[in-house]
Amino acid sequence: MQSSIAAAETVGHNEDLLKQLLLRLPAKSLIRFKCVSKLWLSLISSPKFCDSHTLRNPILKFPSAFFLSRTATTDPQFISLLPSTNPNPSKPLNFIPDPQGLQILQSCNGLLLCCSSTDKFTISRQFKFYVVNPTTSRFSEIALPPPSPTKPEPARLLSVALAFDPSKSLHYKLVCVSGSGTIPSLHLEIEIEIYSSHTRTWRAGESTHMWFPSIGKFLPGVYCNGRIHWLSTFCWLVYYDIDEEHYGVVDELGAPGFSVEKECMCFGESGGRLHLIEMYGSGLNKLRVLEMGKDYSGWFVKYRVDLNLMTPAFPYTPAASCRPFFFLDAEENEEQNPVLVLRMGYKFISYDIRDKSCKTLCDLFIPSLVGWRDAYQYMETLACV
Amino acid sequence: MSTSTDNNASITQESGPSAAVQDIQKKIVVRTADGEVFNLKEEVAMEIDIIKTFFQEDSISYETVMPLPNVEGWEMVKVIEYCTKHVELKHKVDGYKERKAFQALFVQNLSTKSLLALTNTANYLEVKYLLDFLCQAVSEQIKNKDVDYVRELFGVENDFNDEEYEQVKAEAPWAHENLNNDLH
């Protein structure tokens, strides 16, 4: 069919028609097809196209991979969650030129919030912050606004968090929380500032005299359903509502609280709900996933995992070297099963909660039991930063 | 459902008075680039915007044979097939499964290049839902293919020099890994 060849070529050069086709491709394919020709490169790279694609393609609920950050070095490692011939494709973040190196602070619907710092806990206002799209290798550098000169006491930087939800808006926001007050006091003078990627400016948000789950150290936030949440060991849950611009505390509701039996709490979000992963039991050989009920009704135990059941697959691994990193939720009717990603000794594994099966994701070549700080989910997106 | 060329004998507009009687089965006639002539039921023809515009807005008599110089005979067959099914399913309450089964069969024996040609045709003829479906079908087939395949399929020339190409590729080498070229 000679004519069909000619027709195929017509599509290749008909920009509007080509765009309609390209909009339906997943992000990874599009990034690859940038190499087809100069026309395709300019089409796919255009912000307008990226915006349309982001709106059209809901963020995949399950991440395809995750970044693992260490304290000692500054290069996050990229680990795939999907079966692939190359288990560890390199996806460095070295397209961001910062001599200090980069710390990932938070992952939110495909975008990463990073900071030029070698240590996640000593972060100050002078540091540069970056909102990064690792799929498109693009980033935006954002400086925090200087502290207001009128305050008698310098406010400590408590958190900077990213709010991005393409189902609501193509633009992202940064929430900067500063607090001042004497350390023994439970309440701080909290000041909140908001950055919008739409206006590219900061403006003052709420000021309140309230409690915050961290007195002096930087605490990253977790975005869930239009709000940034903060939680730490002792604590009540606090949140900042992005749309209503309101800071709130979720009162005592079976607050996890401090307990010598419990360790290693991971706080995160999956499937639009907040989760906590706790290790407990004698020898810390049990693990449970807690979910926050609707309207902050309370934490309830969703899954229990007995780590001892995993040990046949893994030779004796001292409990101290088991550490959960994150939990991916899935509904009963979905193809995907709920999965826990954890470190067992020298391996990173994903544990399928329904099948009760383990899969090794990667071997940690450097047998160091400390230093693997946090994992940040990776979802493909063409979202503009 | 008139889809084959041997319907020439059944063109009804030749007999004047009985044409009015045939109102229930008004047909619209089109001729494709290769000379094939098709009789379409009016309700199917009206799914194709370019035909609809030609006859309705310009008040051209249905006796006219509309030329479609950019469409091949085999393409018209497929378009009519899809639109006819679409009209049929419009009146069904729960046609989801049937539609899916039909769509799977529809693309079964078509090469990706043919699908692409059909996409072009659907765009020209202005049948939105068919265009949407075909774009989706093509993207499913090409999403795991490599750059060379795509260039060949679309007949696009590589206008990068070696250095430029490597530069673009180096931004995201991971995107070129783990492809399943042999799936289709």
Side-chain angles (χ1 to χ4, degrees):
Chain A
M1 281 186 219
Q2 203 60 29
S3 57
S4 65
I5 296 170
E9 289 173 22
T10 313
V11 177
H13 299 284
N14 177 341
E15 264 189 53
D16 281 326
L17 191 49
L18 188 57
K19 246 187 256 182
Q20 290 205 47
L21 238 149
L22 295 178
L23 279 175
R24 286 165 166 83
L25 288 167
K28 179 178 171 183
S29 311
L30 286 170
I31 300 289
R32 183 168 63 248
F33 295 162
K34 276 187 182 181
C35 291
V36 168
S37 77
K38 288 185 179 171
L39 170 67
W40 284 51
L41 173 63
S42 97
L43 257 179
I44 297 170
S45 307
S46 91
K48 248 188 130 194
F49 176 83
C50 289
D51 280 347
S52 302
H53 186 270
T54 307
L55 285 175
R56 243 193 142 269
N57 293 281
I59 294 282
L60 300 166
K61 208 173 103 171
F62 254 63
S64 56
F66 60 95
F67 287 97
L68 200 56
S69 71
R70 306 185 71 192
T71 46
T73 67
T74 53
D75 281 341
Q77 191 168 344
F78 185 73
I79 298 171
S80 174
L81 284 164
L82 302 173
S84 60
T85 48
N86 179 358
N88 294 308
S90 72
K91 194 201 294 283
L93 294 180
N94 57 12
F95 53 88
I96 306 172
D98 192 310
Q100 282 263 57
L102 229 52
Q103 271 295 321
I104 306 179
L105 300 175
Q106 185 194 346
S107 161
C108 185
N109 283 322
L111 297 184
L112 297 177
L113 176 65
C114 301
C115 171
S116 65
S117 156
T118 50
D119 178 355
K120 201 162 74 172
F121 297 115
T122 52
I123 295 180
S124 77
R125 299 188 87 96
Q126 287 78 32
F127 291 16
K128 287 188 231 166
F129 287 82
Y130 301 94
V131 175
V132 182
N133 181 336
T135 308
T136 57
S137 308
R138 299 281 181 272
F139 68 95
S140 239
E141 186 186 315
I142 297 156
L144 295 187
S148 51
T150 53
K151 295 261 175 225
E153 239 187 80
R156 281 181 293 279
L157 183 65
L158 297 175
S159 182
V160 178
L162 170 65
F164 175 61
D165 188 345
S167 70
K168 288 187 176 186
S169 162
L170 285 169
H171 302 288
Y172 61 83
K173 291 200 170 146
L174 290 184
V175 177
C176 175
V177 183
S178 322
S180 55
T182 50
I183 299 272
S185 155
L186 285 175
H187 282 176
L188 302 170
E189 291 293 333
I190 306 263
E191 237 181 77
I192 296 186
E193 292 158 296
I194 320 277
Y195 175 90
S196 160
S197 68
H198 188 52
T199 59
R200 303 269 169 205
T201 56
W202 289 92
R203 61 179 170 78
E206 199 176 337
S207 279
T208 180
H209 188 71
M210 195 53 90
W211 191 86
F212 189 78
S214 164
I215 310 279
K217 284 200 300 195
F218 186 92
L219 183 69
V222 170
Y223 177 82
C224 179
N225 290 335
R227 295 174 169 182
I228 303 276
H229 298 82
W230 295 273
L231 184 73
S232 67
T233 332
F234 287 79
C235 56
W236 290 308
L237 186 61
V238 306
Y239 65 83
Y240 187 75
D241 191 307
I242 303 290
D243 295 321
E244 296 183 14
E245 303 203 355
H246 166 68
Y247 182 86
V249 178
V250 180
D251 288 329
E252 164 77 79
L253 32 65
F258 180 70
S259 161
V260 288
E261 279 177 3
K262 279 185 281 188
E263 255 258 8
C264 198
M265 231 172 37
C266 286
F267 176 49
E269 176 272 339
S270 176
R273 289 173 296 271
L274 294 171
H275 296 103
L276 271 183
I277 311 173
E278 290 180 339
M279 295 183 70
Y280 69 103
S282 60
L284 292 175
N285 58 355
K286 292 207 214 308
L287 194 152
R288 64 184 177 203
V289 178
L290 301 159
E291 183 173 285
M292 172 59 80
K294 215 168 167 224
D295 296 324
Y296 303 118
S297 47
W299 294 103
F300 70 93
V301 179
K302 194 157 186 186
Y303 300 108
R304 277 180 223 273
V305 176
D306 187 346
L307 292 173
N308 291 323
L309 296 177
M310 281 194 233
T311 49
F314 302 92
Y316 175 74
T317 314
S321 67
C322 293
R323 215 208 113 180
F325 276 88
F326 57 85
F327 166 69
L328 302 172
D329 202 6
E331 298 291 317
E332 283 286 330
N333 54 2
E334 280 173 314
E335 272 177 37
Q336 194 75 38
N337 282 342
V339 154
L340 259 178
V341 171
L342 42 138
R343 180 170 63 79
M344 289 275 275
Y346 303 149
K347 289 179 192 291
F348 252 84
I349 67 165
S350 80
Y351 176 71
D352 184 318
I353 294 183
R354 220 167 272 156
D355 289 345
K356 300 201 185 350
S357 62
C358 290
K359 186 175 77 168
T360 301
L361 297 173
C362 112
D363 284 296
L364 304 176
F365 297 111
I366 303 157
S368 146
L369 298 182
V370 297
W372 294 98
R373 273 271 160 215
D374 272 307
Y376 301 93
Q377 295 175 28
Y378 168 68
M379 279 97 139
E380 288 170 6
T381 175
L382 290 188
C384 291
V385 292
Chain B
M1 217 191 312
S2 43
T3 59
S4 61
T5 53
D6 56 49
N7 269 344
N8 273 344
S10 69
I11 293 176
T12 54
Q13 61 254 35
E14 268 144 28
S15 39
S18 50
V21 176
Q22 303 283 346
D23 260 3
I24 302 163
Q25 291 181 34
K26 252 202 262 189
K27 306 274 180 155
I28 287 183
V29 189
V30 301
R31 183 190 296 113
T32 53
D34 45 4
E36 275 192 61
V37 176
F38 295 88
N39 283 293
L40 288 77
K41 271 196 211 163
E42 185 186 5
E43 59 174 359
V44 174
M46 290 303 142
E47 295 287 306
I48 302 169
D49 277 359
I50 198 179
I51 298 181
K52 183 170 164 186
T53 311
F54 182 79
F55 284 100
Q56 283 189 344
E57 290 189 13
D58 298 351
S59 302
I60 294 191
S61 135
Y62 279 25
E63 291 181 11
T64 319
V65 177
M66 180 184 180
L68 293 174
N70 291 343
V71 182
E72 296 293 318
W74 72 269
E75 293 171 335
M76 200 65 217
V77 170
K78 293 302 272 183
V79 171
I80 293 172
E81 186 188 327
Y82 199 91
C83 292
T84 307
K85 190 67 176 181
H86 184 90
V87 167
E88 184 192 310
L89 288 174
K90 257 193 213 177
H91 306 297
K92 277 207 176 156
V93 172
D94 186 20
Y96 180 77
K97 270 195 179 158
E98 198 180 328
R99 186 189 300 278
K100 283 289 161 191
F102 170 76
Q103 284 174 339
L105 267 171
F106 186 83
V107 299
Q108 211 171 44
N109 294 320
L110 293 173
S111 68
T112 312
K113 254 211 162 84
S114 301
L115 269 181
L116 209 48
L118 215 48
T119 307
N120 196 40
T121 301
N123 185 46
Y124 167 74
L125 290 174
E126 297 174 42
V127 187
K128 184 155 196 318
Y129 53 79
L130 177 58
L131 179 61
D132 283 345
F133 166 66
L134 288 168
C135 281
Q136 189 65 42
V138 173
S139 74
E140 280 296 314
Q141 293 199 2
I142 68 172
K143 69 184 182 191
N144 283 329
K145 298 287 198 258
D146 64 15
V147 173
D148 287 324
Y149 176 94
V150 169
R151 281 197 193 124
E152 205 269 309
L153 175 69
F154 286 87
V156 170
E157 245 190 65
N158 176 15
D159 53 356
F160 289 120
N161 64 38
D162 283 343
E163 208 185 299
E164 290 166 336
Y165 175 80
E166 286 306 318
Q167 203 176 18
V168 181
K169 184 170 176 189
E171 258 192 17
W174 52 271
H176 298 254
E177 295 163 5
N178 293 321
L179 306 179
N180 298 316
N181 274 329
D182 46 348
L183 273 185
H184 294 284

